[in-house]
Amino acid sequence: MKNTTQGFTLIELLIVIAIIGILAAVLIPNLLGAQKRAYDTSAQSCAKSIQTAQATAQIDNQGYFSIAKSGTAAPTITAGSLPSGATLPTATDLASNCSDQNIRIATTTAPSGSNATYVITVGDIRGSKTFTVTPSNLTGGGNAPS
């Protein structure tokens, strides 16, 4: 008598399902971590763009501007310690990701008058880090903004 049934046995199917479950348990946390790192890299790119714009303002106008952004609005740039009549950079002068609705930018030490320095924090609310920008440094650390 010949066995004409075709297909997989129950044991074979259970083994395949178990292997898929193990792979999913290993890969999903790694993919979520990679996504947070991508958000942090975007915030770091925005911070570097702001630092470059500040250096340009210092060279061209001997002063710094203040910048802030929350929510979906474009970054708000004000004169800070720039002399009157100086040309302010616009949001399009910064990296395009600085206008992302999840990026938060705050000037914690505003340039004004003879205060020739600034401290700006940049972070993505979906990421895990906040970046601090000063005239001479760009550092990462701290928790993501809320």
Side-chain angles (χ1 to χ4, degrees):
M1 185 164 169
K2 189 175 182 184
N3 185 1
T4 58
T5 60
Q6 294 179 348
F8 297 106
T9 66
L10 181 61
I11 296 296
E12 290 171 332
L13 291 174
L14 289 174
I15 289 172
V16 168
I17 290 170
I19 290 171
I20 291 171
I22 290 169
L23 288 173
V26 169
L27 293 178
I28 288 175
N30 288 337
L31 292 176
L32 294 176
Q35 193 173 29
K36 279 195 179 284
R37 287 190 304 275
Y39 295 139
D40 290 338
T41 301
S42 175
Q44 185 179 20
S45 169
C46 177
K48 185 62 179 168
S49 173
I50 291 169
Q51 187 179 40
T52 302
Q54 289 284 29
T56 302
Q58 174 62 26
I59 291 168
D60 291 347
N61 302 304
Q62 293 73 45
Y64 298 113
F65 57 86
S66 293
I67 183 168
K69 179 184 178 306
S70 63
T72 59
T76 303
I77 300 171
T78 56
S81 67
L82 293 176
S84 61
T87 303
L88 288 174
T90 64
T92 57
D93 294 331
L94 304 174
S96 62
N97 59 331
C98 288
S99 294
D100 185 294
Q101 66 180 358
N102 296 299
I103 294 285
R104 300 295 183 260
I105 304 169
T107 301
T108 54
T109 302
S112 62
S114 63
N115 181 9
T117 189
Y118 61 88
V119 177
I120 299 171
T121 57
V122 180
D124 190 310
I125 60 174
R126 301 164 296 179
S128 60
K129 291 183 182 177
T130 298
F131 296 90
T132 303
V133 182
T134 63
S136 61
N137 209 353
L138 171 62
T139 58
N143 296 328
S146 53

Short mmCIF file of all heavy atoms in Angstrom, two decimals, residues 26-97:
data_model
loop_
_atom_site.label_atom_id
_atom_site.label_comp_id
_atom_site.label_asym_id
_atom_site.label_seq_id
_atom_site.Cartn_x
_atom_site.Cartn_y
_atom_site.Cartn_z
N VAL A 26 14.60 38.43 18.52
CA VAL A 26 15.97 38.97 18.49
C VAL A 26 16.04 40.24 17.64
O VAL A 26 16.70 41.21 18.00
CB VAL A 26 16.95 37.90 17.95
CG1 VAL A 26 18.30 38.50 17.64
CG2 VAL A 26 17.08 36.76 18.94
N LEU A 27 15.34 40.26 16.51
CA LEU A 27 15.48 41.36 15.56
C LEU A 27 14.67 42.61 15.90
O LEU A 27 15.14 43.72 15.66
CB LEU A 27 15.12 40.89 14.15
CG LEU A 27 16.06 39.86 13.54
CD1 LEU A 27 15.56 39.43 12.17
CD2 LEU A 27 17.46 40.43 13.42
N ILE A 28 13.49 42.48 16.42
CA ILE A 28 12.63 43.65 16.65
C ILE A 28 13.27 44.65 17.60
O ILE A 28 13.29 45.85 17.30
CB ILE A 28 11.21 43.20 17.09
CG1 ILE A 28 10.50 42.59 15.90
CG2 ILE A 28 10.43 44.37 17.67
CD1 ILE A 28 9.15 42.00 16.19
N PRO A 29 13.82 44.25 18.76
CA PRO A 29 14.47 45.26 19.62
C PRO A 29 15.65 45.96 18.92
O PRO A 29 15.86 47.16 19.11
CB PRO A 29 14.96 44.46 20.83
CG PRO A 29 14.07 43.26 20.85
CD PRO A 29 13.76 42.95 19.43
N ASN A 30 16.40 45.22 18.11
CA ASN A 30 17.52 45.85 17.38
C ASN A 30 17.02 46.86 16.37
O ASN A 30 17.63 47.92 16.18
CB ASN A 30 18.36 44.78 16.69
CG ASN A 30 19.16 43.96 17.66
OD1 ASN A 30 19.44 44.41 18.76
ND2 ASN A 30 19.51 42.76 17.27
N LEU A 31 15.93 46.58 15.69
CA LEU A 31 15.39 47.52 14.72
C LEU A 31 14.87 48.78 15.40
O LEU A 31 15.06 49.88 14.89
CB LEU A 31 14.27 46.86 13.91
CG LEU A 31 14.71 45.74 12.98
CD1 LEU A 31 13.51 45.10 12.31
CD2 LEU A 31 15.69 46.25 11.95
N LEU A 32 14.24 48.64 16.56
CA LEU A 32 13.76 49.82 17.28
C LEU A 32 14.93 50.67 17.76
O LEU A 32 14.86 51.90 17.73
CB LEU A 32 12.88 49.39 18.45
CG LEU A 32 11.55 48.73 18.06
CD1 LEU A 32 10.80 48.27 19.29
CD2 LEU A 32 10.71 49.66 17.22
N GLY A 33 16.01 50.04 18.20
CA GLY A 33 17.21 50.78 18.62
C GLY A 33 17.83 51.53 17.45
O GLY A 33 18.30 52.66 17.60
N ALA A 34 17.83 50.92 16.28
CA ALA A 34 18.39 51.57 15.10
C ALA A 34 17.55 52.79 14.72
O ALA A 34 18.09 53.82 14.30
CB ALA A 34 18.45 50.59 13.93
N GLN A 35 16.25 52.70 14.91
CA GLN A 35 15.38 53.83 14.59
C GLN A 35 15.66 55.01 15.52
O GLN A 35 15.75 56.16 15.08
CB GLN A 35 13.93 53.40 14.69
CG GLN A 35 12.96 54.36 14.09
CD GLN A 35 11.54 53.81 14.08
OE1 GLN A 35 11.17 53.00 14.93
NE2 GLN A 35 10.75 54.25 13.13
N LYS A 36 15.86 54.75 16.82
CA LYS A 36 16.19 55.82 17.77
C LYS A 36 17.53 56.46 17.41
O LYS A 36 17.69 57.67 17.48
CB LYS A 36 16.22 55.30 19.20
CG LYS A 36 14.85 55.19 19.82
CD LYS A 36 14.98 55.02 21.32
CE LYS A 36 13.64 54.94 21.97
NZ LYS A 36 12.98 56.23 22.08
N ARG A 37 18.51 55.63 17.03
CA ARG A 37 19.82 56.18 16.64
C ARG A 37 19.69 57.05 15.39
O ARG A 37 20.38 58.07 15.27
CB ARG A 37 20.82 55.04 16.41
CG ARG A 37 21.28 54.39 17.70
CD ARG A 37 22.45 53.43 17.48
NE ARG A 37 22.19 52.38 16.50
CZ ARG A 37 21.59 51.22 16.76
NH1 ARG A 37 21.19 50.94 17.98
NH2 ARG A 37 21.41 50.33 15.80
N ALA A 38 18.80 56.69 14.47
CA ALA A 38 18.58 57.52 13.28
C ALA A 38 17.98 58.87 13.65
O ALA A 38 18.38 59.91 13.11
CB ALA A 38 17.67 56.79 12.29
N TYR A 39 17.04 58.89 14.60
CA TYR A 39 16.47 60.16 15.06
C TYR A 39 17.54 61.01 15.73
O TYR A 39 17.58 62.23 15.54
CB TYR A 39 15.31 59.92 16.02
CG TYR A 39 14.12 59.23 15.40
CD1 TYR A 39 13.43 58.24 16.10
CD2 TYR A 39 13.67 59.56 14.13
CE1 TYR A 39 12.33 57.61 15.54
CE2 TYR A 39 12.57 58.93 13.56
CZ TYR A 39 11.90 57.96 14.28
OH TYR A 39 10.82 57.34 13.72
N ASP A 40 18.41 60.38 16.51
CA ASP A 40 19.49 61.12 17.17
C ASP A 40 20.48 61.68 16.14
O ASP A 40 20.97 62.80 16.29
CB ASP A 40 20.21 60.22 18.17
CG ASP A 40 19.37 59.90 19.39
OD1 ASP A 40 18.42 60.65 19.68
OD2 ASP A 40 19.66 58.89 20.06
N THR A 41 20.76 60.92 15.11
CA THR A 41 21.66 61.40 14.06
C THR A 41 21.06 62.60 13.33
O THR A 41 21.76 63.55 12.99
CB THR A 41 21.97 60.26 13.06
OG1 THR A 41 22.57 59.18 13.78
CG2 THR A 41 22.90 60.72 11.97
N SER A 42 19.75 62.57 13.13
CA SER A 42 19.08 63.71 12.51
C SER A 42 19.19 64.96 13.39
O SER A 42 19.47 66.05 12.89
CB SER A 42 17.61 63.37 12.27
OG SER A 42 16.91 64.48 11.79
N ALA A 43 18.98 64.81 14.69
CA ALA A 43 19.11 65.94 15.61
C ALA A 43 20.55 66.45 15.64
O ALA A 43 20.79 67.65 15.69
CB ALA A 43 18.65 65.54 17.01
N GLN A 44 21.51 65.53 15.60
CA GLN A 44 22.91 65.94 15.61
C GLN A 44 23.25 66.71 14.33
O GLN A 44 23.99 67.70 14.37
CB GLN A 44 23.81 64.71 15.74
CG GLN A 44 25.28 65.04 15.86
CD GLN A 44 26.14 63.80 16.02
OE1 GLN A 44 25.73 62.69 15.69
NE2 GLN A 44 27.34 63.99 16.53
N SER A 45 22.70 66.29 13.20
CA SER A 45 22.90 67.00 11.94
C SER A 45 22.34 68.42 12.02
O SER A 45 22.98 69.38 11.56
CB SER A 45 22.24 66.23 10.80
OG SER A 45 22.21 66.99 9.63
N CYS A 46 21.17 68.55 12.61
CA CYS A 46 20.57 69.88 12.78
C CYS A 46 21.45 70.75 13.68
O CYS A 46 21.69 71.92 13.39
CB CYS A 46 19.16 69.75 13.37
SG CYS A 46 18.36 71.32 13.70
N ALA A 47 21.95 70.16 14.77
CA ALA A 47 22.81 70.90 15.70
C ALA A 47 24.08 71.37 15.00
O ALA A 47 24.51 72.51 15.18
CB ALA A 47 23.15 70.02 16.91
N LYS A 48 24.68 70.51 14.19
CA LYS A 48 25.89 70.89 13.46
C LYS A 48 25.59 72.01 12.46
O LYS A 48 26.39 72.93 12.27
CB LYS A 48 26.48 69.66 12.74
CG LYS A 48 27.79 69.93 12.08
CD LYS A 48 28.85 70.33 13.09
CE LYS A 48 30.17 70.56 12.41
NZ LYS A 48 31.15 71.20 13.29
N SER A 49 24.42 71.95 11.84
CA SER A 49 24.02 72.99 10.91
C SER A 49 23.88 74.34 11.62
O SER A 49 24.31 75.38 11.09
CB SER A 49 22.69 72.60 10.25
OG SER A 49 22.18 73.62 9.47
N ILE A 50 23.28 74.32 12.81
CA ILE A 50 23.14 75.55 13.59
C ILE A 50 24.51 76.09 13.99
O ILE A 50 24.77 77.28 13.91
CB ILE A 50 22.26 75.31 14.83
CG1 ILE A 50 20.82 75.06 14.39
CG2 ILE A 50 22.33 76.48 15.80
CD1 ILE A 50 19.91 74.56 15.49
N GLN A 51 25.41 75.19 14.40
CA GLN A 51 26.75 75.62 14.79
C GLN A 51 27.48 76.26 13.60
O GLN A 51 28.14 77.29 13.76
CB GLN A 51 27.55 74.42 15.32
CG GLN A 51 28.89 74.80 15.91
CD GLN A 51 29.64 73.59 16.43
OE1 GLN A 51 29.62 72.53 15.81
NE2 GLN A 51 30.28 73.75 17.57
N THR A 52 27.31 75.70 12.42
CA THR A 52 27.94 76.26 11.23
C THR A 52 27.35 77.63 10.89
O THR A 52 28.07 78.57 10.55
CB THR A 52 27.78 75.30 10.04
OG1 THR A 52 28.37 74.04 10.38
CG2 THR A 52 28.43 75.85 8.78
N ALA A 53 26.03 77.76 11.00
CA ALA A 53 25.38 79.06 10.74
C ALA A 53 25.83 80.10 11.76
O ALA A 53 26.03 81.27 11.42
CB ALA A 53 23.86 78.90 10.77
N GLN A 54 26.01 79.68 13.02
CA GLN A 54 26.49 80.61 14.05
C GLN A 54 27.92 81.06 13.74
O GLN A 54 28.26 82.23 13.91
CB GLN A 54 26.43 79.96 15.44
CG GLN A 54 25.03 79.77 15.98
CD GLN A 54 24.41 81.05 16.49
OE1 GLN A 54 24.69 82.16 16.04
NE2 GLN A 54 23.52 80.90 17.45
N ALA A 55 28.76 80.12 13.30
CA ALA A 55 30.14 80.48 12.95
C ALA A 55 30.16 81.46 11.78
O ALA A 55 30.95 82.42 11.77
CB ALA A 55 30.94 79.22 12.61
N THR A 56 29.29 81.25 10.82
CA THR A 56 29.19 82.18 9.68
C THR A 56 28.73 83.56 10.14
O THR A 56 29.28 84.58 9.71
CB THR A 56 28.22 81.62 8.62
OG1 THR A 56 28.68 80.33 8.21
CG2 THR A 56 28.12 82.54 7.43
N ALA A 57 27.74 83.59 11.03
CA ALA A 57 27.26 84.88 11.57
C ALA A 57 28.37 85.59 12.33
O ALA A 57 28.52 86.81 12.24
CB ALA A 57 26.05 84.66 12.47
N GLN A 58 29.18 84.84 13.06
CA GLN A 58 30.28 85.44 13.83
C GLN A 58 31.32 86.04 12.88
O GLN A 58 31.80 87.15 13.10
CB GLN A 58 30.91 84.39 14.75
CG GLN A 58 32.15 84.86 15.48
CD GLN A 58 31.90 86.02 16.42
OE1 GLN A 58 30.80 86.22 16.90
NE2 GLN A 58 32.93 86.80 16.67
N ILE A 59 31.63 85.33 11.83
CA ILE A 59 32.63 85.82 10.88
C ILE A 59 32.11 87.03 10.12
O ILE A 59 32.79 88.05 9.98
CB ILE A 59 33.05 84.70 9.91
CG1 ILE A 59 33.85 83.64 10.65
CG2 ILE A 59 33.85 85.26 8.73
CD1 ILE A 59 34.08 82.37 9.88
N ASP A 60 30.87 86.94 9.65
CA ASP A 60 30.31 88.01 8.82
C ASP A 60 29.89 89.24 9.63
O ASP A 60 30.01 90.37 9.15
CB ASP A 60 29.09 87.51 8.04
CG ASP A 60 29.47 86.50 6.96
OD1 ASP A 60 30.67 86.39 6.66
OD2 ASP A 60 28.55 85.82 6.45
N ASN A 61 29.36 89.03 10.85
CA ASN A 61 28.73 90.12 11.59
C ASN A 61 29.25 90.32 13.01
O ASN A 61 28.72 91.13 13.76
CB ASN A 61 27.21 89.89 11.66
CG ASN A 61 26.60 89.79 10.29
OD1 ASN A 61 26.73 90.69 9.48
ND2 ASN A 61 25.93 88.68 10.02
N GLN A 62 30.24 89.54 13.42
CA GLN A 62 30.81 89.63 14.76
C GLN A 62 29.74 89.49 15.86
O GLN A 62 29.71 90.23 16.83
CB GLN A 62 31.59 90.94 14.98
CG GLN A 62 32.85 91.03 14.15
CD GLN A 62 32.58 91.27 12.67
OE1 GLN A 62 31.75 92.10 12.33
NE2 GLN A 62 33.25 90.54 11.81
N GLY A 63 28.85 88.52 15.68
CA GLY A 63 27.81 88.27 16.69
C GLY A 63 27.09 86.97 16.41
O GLY A 63 27.34 86.31 15.40
N TYR A 64 26.21 86.59 17.33
CA TYR A 64 25.45 85.35 17.20
C TYR A 64 23.95 85.65 17.20
O TYR A 64 23.52 86.67 17.71
CB TYR A 64 25.76 84.40 18.35
CG TYR A 64 27.20 83.96 18.40
CD1 TYR A 64 28.04 84.35 19.44
CD2 TYR A 64 27.72 83.13 17.42
CE1 TYR A 64 29.35 83.94 19.50
CE2 TYR A 64 29.05 82.72 17.47
CZ TYR A 64 29.86 83.12 18.50
OH TYR A 64 31.15 82.71 18.55
N PHE A 65 23.16 84.72 16.66
CA PHE A 65 21.71 84.86 16.68
C PHE A 65 21.12 83.87 17.68
O PHE A 65 21.76 82.91 18.07
CB PHE A 65 21.11 84.64 15.29
CG PHE A 65 21.45 83.31 14.66
CD1 PHE A 65 20.68 82.19 14.92
CD2 PHE A 65 22.52 83.19 13.80
CE1 PHE A 65 20.99 80.96 14.34
CE2 PHE A 65 22.85 81.97 13.22
CZ PHE A 65 22.08 80.85 13.49
N SER A 66 19.89 84.13 18.09
CA SER A 66 19.16 83.20 18.94
C SER A 66 18.21 82.39 18.07
O SER A 66 17.70 82.89 17.06
CB SER A 66 18.34 83.95 20.00
OG SER A 66 19.19 84.59 20.91
N ILE A 67 17.96 81.16 18.47
CA ILE A 67 17.08 80.29 17.69
C ILE A 67 16.24 79.45 18.64
O ILE A 67 16.72 79.05 19.71
CB ILE A 67 17.88 79.40 16.72
CG1 ILE A 67 16.95 78.56 15.85
CG2 ILE A 67 18.88 78.55 17.46
CD1 ILE A 67 17.67 77.89 14.68
N ALA A 68 15.00 79.23 18.28
CA ALA A 68 14.12 78.38 19.08
C ALA A 68 13.13 77.70 18.14
O ALA A 68 12.82 78.21 17.06
CB ALA A 68 13.38 79.19 20.12
N LYS A 69 12.67 76.52 18.54
CA LYS A 69 11.67 75.80 17.75
C LYS A 69 10.97 74.80 18.64
O LYS A 69 11.62 74.08 19.38
CB LYS A 69 12.31 75.07 16.58
CG LYS A 69 11.30 74.29 15.77
CD LYS A 69 11.99 73.50 14.69
CE LYS A 69 11.01 72.68 13.90
NZ LYS A 69 10.17 71.80 14.68
N SER A 70 9.66 74.78 18.56
CA SER A 70 8.90 73.73 19.22
C SER A 70 7.69 73.42 18.36
O SER A 70 7.17 74.28 17.67
CB SER A 70 8.47 74.15 20.62
OG SER A 70 7.61 75.26 20.55
N GLY A 71 7.27 72.21 18.38
CA GLY A 71 6.10 71.82 17.60
C GLY A 71 6.36 71.84 16.10
O GLY A 71 7.47 71.64 15.64
N THR A 72 5.31 72.11 15.37
CA THR A 72 5.39 72.03 13.91
C THR A 72 5.87 73.31 13.24
O THR A 72 6.07 73.35 12.04
CB THR A 72 4.00 71.67 13.33
OG1 THR A 72 3.07 72.67 13.72
CG2 THR A 72 3.54 70.31 13.82
N ALA A 73 6.05 74.37 14.01
CA ALA A 73 6.47 75.65 13.42
C ALA A 73 7.92 75.57 12.94
O ALA A 73 8.71 74.77 13.42
CB ALA A 73 6.33 76.75 14.46
N ALA A 74 8.24 76.44 12.01
CA ALA A 74 9.63 76.55 11.55
C ALA A 74 10.47 77.18 12.66
O ALA A 74 9.93 77.86 13.53
CB ALA A 74 9.68 77.42 10.29
N PRO A 75 11.78 76.97 12.64
CA PRO A 75 12.62 77.60 13.66
C PRO A 75 12.48 79.12 13.65
O PRO A 75 12.39 79.74 12.60
CB PRO A 75 14.04 77.19 13.26
CG PRO A 75 13.87 75.97 12.43
CD PRO A 75 12.55 76.12 11.74
N THR A 76 12.43 79.72 14.84
CA THR A 76 12.35 81.17 14.99
C THR A 76 13.76 81.70 15.25
O THR A 76 14.39 81.30 16.22
CB THR A 76 11.43 81.54 16.16
OG1 THR A 76 10.15 80.95 15.92
CG2 THR A 76 11.29 83.04 16.29
N ILE A 77 14.23 82.58 14.41
CA ILE A 77 15.58 83.12 14.52
C ILE A 77 15.48 84.61 14.82
O ILE A 77 14.81 85.35 14.11
CB ILE A 77 16.38 82.87 13.23
CG1 ILE A 77 16.46 81.37 12.96
CG2 ILE A 77 17.76 83.50 13.31
CD1 ILE A 77 17.04 80.99 11.62
N THR A 78 16.14 85.04 15.91
CA THR A 78 16.14 86.46 16.29
C THR A 78 17.58 86.96 16.34
O THR A 78 18.52 86.18 16.37
CB THR A 78 15.45 86.67 17.65
OG1 THR A 78 16.09 85.86 18.62
CG2 THR A 78 13.98 86.29 17.58
N ALA A 79 17.74 88.28 16.43
CA ALA A 79 19.05 88.91 16.27
C ALA A 79 20.08 88.51 17.32
O ALA A 79 21.26 88.43 17.02
CB ALA A 79 18.89 90.43 16.26
N GLY A 80 19.68 88.25 18.55
CA GLY A 80 20.67 87.91 19.58
C GLY A 80 21.67 89.02 19.74
O GLY A 80 21.32 90.16 20.01
N SER A 81 22.95 88.73 19.53
CA SER A 81 23.99 89.76 19.68
C SER A 81 24.45 90.31 18.33
O SER A 81 25.48 90.99 18.26
CB SER A 81 25.18 89.19 20.44
OG SER A 81 25.84 88.20 19.68
N LEU A 82 23.70 90.02 17.27
CA LEU A 82 24.07 90.56 15.96
C LEU A 82 23.83 92.07 15.93
O LEU A 82 22.87 92.56 16.52
CB LEU A 82 23.26 89.90 14.85
CG LEU A 82 23.54 88.42 14.61
CD1 LEU A 82 22.58 87.87 13.55
CD2 LEU A 82 24.96 88.19 14.17
N PRO A 83 24.68 92.81 15.26
CA PRO A 83 24.46 94.26 15.16
C PRO A 83 23.21 94.55 14.33
O PRO A 83 22.80 93.74 13.51
CB PRO A 83 25.73 94.75 14.46
CG PRO A 83 26.33 93.57 13.81
CD PRO A 83 25.89 92.37 14.58
N SER A 84 22.62 95.71 14.57
CA SER A 84 21.43 96.07 13.81
C SER A 84 21.80 96.17 12.33
O SER A 84 22.88 96.62 11.96
CB SER A 84 20.85 97.39 14.31
OG SER A 84 21.80 98.42 14.14
N GLY A 85 20.89 95.71 11.52
CA GLY A 85 21.14 95.71 10.08
C GLY A 85 21.80 94.44 9.58
O GLY A 85 21.93 94.25 8.37
N ALA A 86 22.23 93.57 10.48
CA ALA A 86 22.85 92.31 10.05
C ALA A 86 21.79 91.40 9.44
O ALA A 86 20.63 91.41 9.84
CB ALA A 86 23.50 91.62 11.24
N THR A 87 22.18 90.64 8.46
CA THR A 87 21.25 89.72 7.80
C THR A 87 21.13 88.46 8.63
O THR A 87 22.12 87.78 8.91
CB THR A 87 21.76 89.36 6.39
OG1 THR A 87 21.95 90.56 5.65
CG2 THR A 87 20.80 88.45 5.68
N LEU A 88 19.89 88.16 9.04
CA LEU A 88 19.64 86.95 9.81
C LEU A 88 19.53 85.75 8.88
O LEU A 88 18.98 85.86 7.78
CB LEU A 88 18.33 87.07 10.60
CG LEU A 88 18.33 88.00 11.79
CD1 LEU A 88 16.92 88.10 12.35
CD2 LEU A 88 19.26 87.50 12.86
N PRO A 89 20.03 84.60 9.31
CA PRO A 89 19.79 83.39 8.51
C PRO A 89 18.31 83.04 8.57
O PRO A 89 17.59 83.46 9.48
CB PRO A 89 20.65 82.33 9.19
CG PRO A 89 20.87 82.83 10.57
CD PRO A 89 20.81 84.32 10.51
N THR A 90 17.85 82.30 7.60
CA THR A 90 16.46 81.84 7.60
C THR A 90 16.44 80.34 7.87
O THR A 90 17.49 79.68 7.87
CB THR A 90 15.78 82.13 6.25
OG1 THR A 90 16.46 81.37 5.24
CG2 THR A 90 15.83 83.60 5.92
N ALA A 91 15.24 79.80 8.07
CA ALA A 91 15.12 78.36 8.33
C ALA A 91 15.65 77.55 7.15
O ALA A 91 16.16 76.44 7.33
CB ALA A 91 13.66 78.01 8.60
N THR A 92 15.58 78.09 5.94
CA THR A 92 16.10 77.36 4.78
C THR A 92 17.63 77.37 4.73
O THR A 92 18.21 76.57 4.00
CB THR A 92 15.55 77.96 3.47
OG1 THR A 92 15.89 79.35 3.41
CG2 THR A 92 14.04 77.79 3.38
N ASP A 93 18.27 78.23 5.51
CA ASP A 93 19.74 78.23 5.59
C ASP A 93 20.25 77.08 6.46
O ASP A 93 21.43 76.74 6.40
CB ASP A 93 20.26 79.55 6.15
CG ASP A 93 19.98 80.71 5.23
OD1 ASP A 93 19.92 80.49 3.99
OD2 ASP A 93 19.81 81.83 5.73
N LEU A 94 19.37 76.52 7.28
CA LEU A 94 19.74 75.41 8.15
C LEU A 94 19.45 74.09 7.44
O LEU A 94 18.79 74.06 6.41
CB LEU A 94 18.96 75.49 9.47
CG LEU A 94 19.10 76.79 10.25
CD1 LEU A 94 18.16 76.78 11.44
CD2 LEU A 94 20.53 77.01 10.69
N ALA A 95 19.93 73.00 8.02
CA ALA A 95 19.63 71.68 7.45
C ALA A 95 18.12 71.50 7.40
O ALA A 95 17.39 71.95 8.29
CB ALA A 95 20.27 70.59 8.29
N SER A 96 17.63 70.83 6.37
CA SER A 96 16.19 70.68 6.19
C SER A 96 15.54 69.94 7.36
O SER A 96 14.38 70.19 7.69
CB SER A 96 15.90 69.95 4.88
OG SER A 96 16.46 68.65 4.90
N ASN A 97 16.28 69.04 8.01
CA ASN A 97 15.68 68.31 9.13
C ASN A 97 15.47 69.20 10.35
O ASN A 97 14.74 68.81 11.26
CB ASN A 97 16.52 67.08 9.48
CG ASN A 97 17.93 67.42 9.87
OD1 ASN A 97 18.47 68.41 9.41
ND2 ASN A 97 18.53 66.61 10.70
#
